[in-house]
Amino acid sequence: MLSKVVKRIAISIPVLIGVVLLIFIMLRVVPGDPVATMMGEHVNPAMIEKISAELGLDQPLYVQFFKYVGNALRGDFGTSYRLNRNVTQIILESFPHTVKLSVLAALVAWIIGLVAGIVAAIRQNRLLDRLFMGCSLVGVSMPVFMTALVLQYVFAFKLQWFPISGFDSWQAMILPAIALGWNSAGSIARMTRSNLVEILQNDYIRTARAKGLREHGVIIGHALKNAMLPVVTMMALQISSMLSGAVLTESVFGVPGIGRLSVNAIETRDMPLLQGTVIFTTIIIILGNLIADLLYNVLDPRIREGA
Amino acid sequence: MNESVVLDVKNLKSHFFTAKGEVPAVDGVSIQVPAGKIIGIVGESGCGKSMTAMSIMGLLRYPGRVVDGTITLDGRDITHLKPKELSQVRGNELSMIFQEPMTSLNPVYPVGVQVREAILLHQKTTKAEAKQRVLDIFQAVGIPEPEKRYYNYPHQLSGGLRQRVMIGMAMVCRPKVMIADEPTTALDVTIEAQILRLMKRLCAEQGTSIILITHNMGVVAEICDYVYVMYAGKVMEQAETFELFEHTKHPYTQGLLKSIPRLDEKADRLYTIEGVVPNLLHLPKGCSFCTRCDQAQERCFTEKPGLYAAADGHGVRCLKYESGVKMDGE
Ligand SMILES: Nc1ncnc2c1ncn2[C@@H]1O[C@H](COP(=O)(O)OP(=O)(O)OP(=O)(O)O)[C@@H](O)[C@H]1O
Ligand SMILES: [Mg+2]
């Protein structure tokens, strides 16, 4: 088990290096001088050159790269051009908001998704099943920002049940969490249902019934754990789609998290900040996948043993 | 057959409601199981043996359901029990072993825990006590190193051991009747003999009756007290084992017996009953076996035979024995 974890982490390192390299090069080949953007259009060229030199942007790309990686390894991701503060610090300040939003959204997704999926499987092809699967289809097909805008318009603007933006009270957190979680809830519900329906055909389910378990006992005790194996993996994999969704949700609802931070960084060509947020997000996604794998291991004795 | 009857199935009909039509998988089956005896049900594949068993257990699933008949267990009608009452009977007074030992255990729980669950569901005991009983039953069904096997997952056990676990699970609450649906078909022959002997011994010890489903006439001859021969959802012949083998009456049963390979007779090729099992949706108008029967007469194609008594406790569904007393109400 431990060796497996180590192996997985080792595999992740090249991925991480690749991402750093990619983002580093991309930011430097796109048109538009970051210093010019930062200073405004009407600054004289000499000034721009001087600042570029100060920031080390005049050096060859590979020098810049190794310097950056060297500092990053020591936890220093540079200084934000616009905010003029340490990037690591900025990220660590806004990250808790993103975590809170994602956790709430994940809770929404898990609870709604699982309950709807289980109920739909039990009431297969009946009214509730159709209703839930209809809703989840809408959930899966709607882009996050659209869900966010619709929720904001209806419940915050028209009905005024919730604040339009911000993230400082629990009322303010509800809409962003639902907006971000809805999509995942839809896929979890669909997957839970289809897995359960399939699992319920198995011979060991018949055995469970034959030994005297009631139907709910059969489902909770014998079907769910088997049906959950792929779902758990999917739920952990959705950490990545949660994060990309968080970018949009945070922008719509003005949540001061990593997502809004990177959008701002793009708009202002704040290279160190953008690099920092991208690398940070990558690490989170890699960790998410690792957790998914490990969970699968814990749940399924057949895999646990093969390790 | 006047011993006390623990399980009395009367005129059981189970149909599958499919897009192509109503399939009469079990078509008026009556079975009596005396206390402590082993009853055999034999017949070719698809004749409705498993569906009869599933109907008795209340395990038929959509699109199949019991449409007629009564099932009485120890004087209590269990045909239309509520889910809660049914769950108290299943696994407790009435249990079942399935045809597929490899897939009948849940892959994500240790086998011991799965057997223990059967005890905890039906009896008020502590987990520790229940575990001890599982270890005892593992010992009884011949699982070596019960203590270690208790924590094994199904994939770590061979087919034979898994089937022993299933038997343990089915026996652990000392049921009145245990249905064993081809418990040894998936296993090799040496294990088959061991398992059958084991079942016979355990049931004698616990006073449990067995319904043994098989298509192996040899197995029937060896351990059953009474036999029902099924064809296309109906009982074609029934008799005490010795009587059935010595005075075989029905052409279908004769065919089944002839198709057993024998060591003491030279034959160039194995006998098989001509033709195929008819589609249950398009059964012949008369006797369902008429299309394959080598003794069929004209009226067999138009008249449905009843079940006639050819001797004491020996019923035959064939017009040749029409002179006997009708044993079913049809
Ligand atoms: N889901 C279903 N839909 C329609 N018909 C079904 C269904 N399940 C079973 N049947 C019908 O029930 C009949 C009896 O099936 P059953 O499983 O009882 O046979 P069996 O005697 O146990 O055969 P085997 O020896 O192969 O186990 C089949 O011939 C089939 O026509
Ligand atoms: Mg069968």
Side-chain angles (χ1 to χ4, degrees), chain A residues 203 206-207 211 221-222 305, chain B residues 100 103-104 109 114 117 156:
Chain A
D203 291 338
R206 195 181 50 189
T207 307
K211 77 167 101 156
H222 284 264
E305 201 163 283
Chain B
E100 306 84 2
T103 50
S104 289
Y109 297 111
Q114 296 187 50
E117 186 178 30
Q156 296 168 313

Side-chain angles (χ1 to χ4, degrees), chain B residues 180-288:
Chain B
D181 187 356
E182 309 201 23
T184 54
T185 314
L187 309 174
D188 53 45
V189 188
T190 46
I191 312 241
E192 170 167 37
Q194 290 171 11
I195 298 251
L196 289 173
R197 240 177 284 136
L198 166 76
M199 280 176 27
K200 185 165 183 156
R201 181 174 49 91
L202 275 180
C203 288
E205 281 168 18
Q206 300 201 350
T208 297
S209 306
I210 304 182
I211 298 179
L212 178 69
I213 297 175
T214 176
H215 46 236
N216 186 336
M217 278 293 190
V219 167
V220 170
E222 197 172 316
I223 77 168
C224 293
D225 298 301
Y226 196 90
V227 191
Y228 292 81
V229 180
M230 278 185 74
Y231 185 78
K234 283 193 162 68
V235 173
M236 293 312 232
E237 183 162 11
Q238 62 183 70
E240 275 172 28
T241 310
F242 186 77
E243 163 80 9
L244 188 91
F245 281 83
E246 284 303 303
H247 308 286
T248 315
K249 298 265 173 358
H250 201 287
Y252 176 58
T253 318
Q254 290 167 356
L256 282 183
L257 287 173
K258 260 203 267 180
S259 48
I260 310 175
R262 298 178 67 129
L263 290 174
D264 55 345
E265 268 171 33
K266 267 214 168 107
D268 292 335
R269 51 194 303 256
L270 220 53
Y271 177 87
T272 47
I273 305 174
E274 290 275 323
V276 290
V277 183
N279 184 331
L280 290 177
L281 281 171
H282 308 286
L283 285 175
K285 189 161 161 277
C287 170
S288 32

Side-chain angles (χ1 to χ4, degrees), chain B residues 16-18 23-26 43-53 61-64 99 181-182 213-215 230 277-280:
Chain B
F16 282 84
F17 297 84
T18 67
V23 181
V26 180
E44 287 169 292
S45 194
C47 67
K49 305 182 297 288
S50 296
M51 293 311 133
T52 304
R61 308 294 296 174
Y62 179 87
Q99 221 164 330
D181 187 356
E182 309 201 23
I213 297 175
T214 176
H215 46 236
M230 278 185 74
V277 183
N279 184 331
L280 290 177

Side-chain angles (χ1 to χ4, degrees), chain B residues 53-102:
Chain B
M54 300 287 270
S55 308
I56 295 171
M57 289 291 292
L59 283 173
L60 275 191
R61 308 294 296 174
Y62 179 87
R65 104 181 121 79
V66 175
V67 290
D68 199 9
T70 53
I71 303 159
T72 314
L73 179 67
D74 214 15
R76 176 179 179 212
D77 185 348
I78 59 163
T79 326
H80 303 290
L81 289 184
K82 294 196 189 80
K84 188 177 172 200
E85 297 164 328
L86 182 62
S87 70
Q88 286 160 354
V89 174
R90 277 187 197 151
N92 190 19
E93 296 166 69
L94 187 61
S95 65
M96 182 162 173
I97 306 167
F98 299 95
Q99 221 164 330
E100 306 84 2
M102 302 313 277

Side-chain angles (χ1 to χ4, degrees), chain B residues 17-37:
Chain B
F17 297 84
T18 67
K20 288 193 189 131
E22 203 172 318
V23 181
V26 180
D27 196 13
V29 167
S30 299
I31 291 173
Q32 290 194 318
V33 183
K37 296 282 166 145

Side-chain angles (χ1 to χ4, degrees), chain A residues 35 114 135 138 146 163 168 174 202 221 246 262 274 284 286 299 305:
Chain A
V35 181
L114 286 183
C135 289
V138 174
M146 194 153 127
D168 35 21
I174 290 178
N202 272 309
S262 29
L274 189 52
I284 300 294
I286 290 175
L299 283 175
E305 201 163 283

